[in-house]
Amino acid sequence: MTRPPGRRPRRPAAQPAPGPSAANDDPAGDGTGDADGTRPRDGRAGRTVVRETASDRLTRMLALVPYVSRRPGVRVEELAAEFGVSTRQIASDLDLLMVCGLPGYYPDDLIDVVLDDDGGTVSIAFDAGIERPVRLTGDEAIALTVALRALADLPGLVDDDAVRSALAKLEQHTGREAVAAQDTPVVQVAAADPAPALGVVRDALRLGRRLWMRYYTASRDEMTERTVDPLRVLVTDGHSYLEAYCHLVGSIRHFRVDRIEDARVLLDEPAQPTLWADSDVPDKVFHPGPQSATVTLRLGHAARWVPEYYPVEAVEELSDDAADGAIRVRLQATGEAWLTRLVLSLGGDAVIEAPADLAAVVDERASAALALYGEQVD
């Protein structure tokens, strides 16, 4: 196979530069450059890491290619400082980029990462087109148009102006041409209502009246009826929440609006006047209470999504083998029922290591379920 002119030969897999600079960027010895030991470690077995989602890494790697392309010979330490990760993580990203590229995935289709002999500087000889503007096919333009129209019709969940601006540009430059080429009418999207009770909740807020609702509590897998004094609706963690004074528990609570099964404004019962209200929007709604139990789970490769979906305190890699991918996570569980359902749903990919009494409960539930299947089979 002939390499196109101007391409340089590949170097071995990226490694952090040796010497003082590679050691000094990591005073804690945890692969991050943070001295407090609370940031990700180097991924080897037995090292504690704070979770990084696949989306986080993808975003960084997509930015890494044009950054290096415009700065040939940039030092690995500079990349680590620019992207806020360790030199070890940059080396891992570069290794992965070497096996990414254009469909076909022959050597000349892959991103060509070139390191110097010491692995201290890096250049990109072939960027697989990441530097070029994206050219959408007709199908891609329609799919993106559908997604943007769906977002534009979700009130309060996204920046409506930004979405409609992007949609207008897409239709102007690509969408209309793609639609016309396929002789297809303009896309119309009717998004399903993710929170049917939201309108009733807003009516209660606007009228200053109490709200009766039937609410599903996921942590206990139960339905309750409550009367609340609405305070505000906020959006965090990708969900709409009603902040309200709950008369059932006698304190302020946050209710996910999509878990309100039914709601009714109590027109004859005015809500109590608000004595104090927090104007800040919290980054997350879940906060472990004093009764929350600390649970340690061992998760297999198929369950690695758990620490990306649920808040956890720590993640520990247990294997150097990517195919195995076992991890140990520590989290706060507010309810035994919720954690039991989670572990049972993961089957053999989840094991409770602590506390032992909770592991016994899961074992008992699993045995009871298997016994029922046995009776049905017999």
Side-chain angles (χ1 to χ4, degrees):
M1 182 176 294
T2 302
R3 181 177 294 275
R7 298 280 297 279
R8 287 181 283 176
R10 289 177 176 274
R11 297 289 186 183
Q15 297 294 333
S21 59
N24 293 340
D25 76 337
D26 192 12
D30 63 358
T32 66
D34 291 339
D36 60 5
T38 61
R39 297 290 302 280
R41 300 204 180 198
D42 63 7
R44 291 180 292 178
R47 298 297 185 94
T48 301
V49 297
V50 176
R51 59 196 171 101
E52 177 184 62
T53 66
S55 297
D56 293 336
R57 190 177 189 190
L58 175 62
T59 300
R60 181 177 63 249
M61 292 179 64
L62 288 176
L64 190 60
V65 175
Y67 187 92
V68 176
S69 295
R70 296 168 186 169
R71 300 167 178 82
V74 62
R75 296 194 59 80
V76 173
E77 291 88 346
E78 180 181 334
L79 293 175
E82 177 68 25
F83 289 93
V85 295
S86 67
T87 55
R88 187 183 299 273
Q89 182 60 58
I90 291 294
S92 177
D93 291 345
L94 294 174
D95 288 344
L96 183 54
L97 284 173
M98 287 182 181
V99 294
C100 299
L102 302 175
Y105 306 106
Y106 289 102
D108 282 344
D109 297 322
L110 302 179
I111 295 174
D112 201 350
V113 178
V114 180
L115 295 163
D116 66 4
D117 292 334
D118 295 329
T121 64
V122 59
S123 302
I124 289 183
F126 177 61
D127 59 22
I130 292 183
E131 279 284 88
R132 296 197 303 267
V134 176
R135 302 296 181 186
L136 300 176
T137 66
D139 289 342
E140 291 171 338
I142 290 177
L144 187 55
T145 300
V146 169
L148 287 172
R149 286 197 179 278
L151 285 174
D153 291 335
L154 295 179
L157 297 181
V158 294
D159 186 339
D160 182 78
D161 291 338
V163 171
R164 295 191 183 279
S165 174
L167 182 59
K169 293 176 182 177
L170 175 66
E171 290 182 337
Q172 177 182 357
H173 295 291
T174 61
R176 288 176 181 170
E177 296 176 5
V179 170
Q182 297 193 17
D183 195 22
T184 304
V186 176
V187 175
Q188 300 292 332
V189 177
D193 191 350
L198 184 58
V200 180
V201 169
R202 286 176 170 165
D203 286 343
L205 280 167
R206 178 174 55 84
L207 297 172
R209 293 295 186 267
R210 286 183 178 174
L211 181 74
W212 170 90
M213 64 182 181
R214 184 180 295 113
Y215 184 75
Y216 172 68
T217 303
S219 61
R220 296 191 299 273
D221 191 27
E222 68 177 16
M223 196 76 69
T224 57
E225 295 186 5
R226 303 165 182 256
T227 300
V228 301
D229 294 331
L231 299 177
R232 60 174 177 164
V233 172
L234 54 90
V235 178
T236 188
D237 285 339
H239 298 285
S240 295
Y241 287 87
L242 167 64
E243 186 177 75
Y245 179 85
C246 178
H247 291 272
L248 181 64
V249 297
S251 64
I252 293 178
R253 289 289 188 268
H254 292 93
F255 303 96
R256 261 181 59 168
V257 178
D258 60 342
R259 291 179 180 167
I260 299 177
E261 297 289 330
D262 190 16
R264 183 173 66 252
V265 179
L266 303 178
L267 296 175
D268 296 333
E269 300 184 31
Q272 293 180 355
T274 303
L275 299 179
W276 173 86
D278 188 359
S279 59
D280 296 332
V281 176
D283 294 331
K284 59 182 181 179
V285 172
F286 173 73
H287 297 282
Q291 305 301 321
S292 299
T294 301
V295 180
T296 303
L297 299 177
R298 181 188 177 96
L299 302 176
H301 185 272
R304 289 181 68 95
W305 59 268
V306 170
E308 294 189 13
Y309 190 81
Y310 296 106
V312 300
E313 294 182 342
V315 180
E316 180 183 348
E317 293 283 352
L318 298 179
S319 174
D320 292 326
D321 185 359
D324 178 15
I327 58 175
R328 178 180 288 117
V329 301
R330 188 174 69 249
L331 54 83
Q332 295 288 329
T334 57
E336 178 182 292
W338 168 79
L339 188 67
T340 300
R341 294 197 311 275
L342 173 64
V343 173
L344 289 175
S345 70
L346 296 172
D349 284 304
V351 176
I352 297 179
E353 295 186 337
D357 56 344
L358 187 55
V361 171
V362 173
D363 182 67
E364 181 181 347
R365 288 281 299 274
S367 299
L370 289 174
L372 290 175
Y373 279 100
E375 292 175 3
Q376 293 174 358
V377 172
D378 294 337

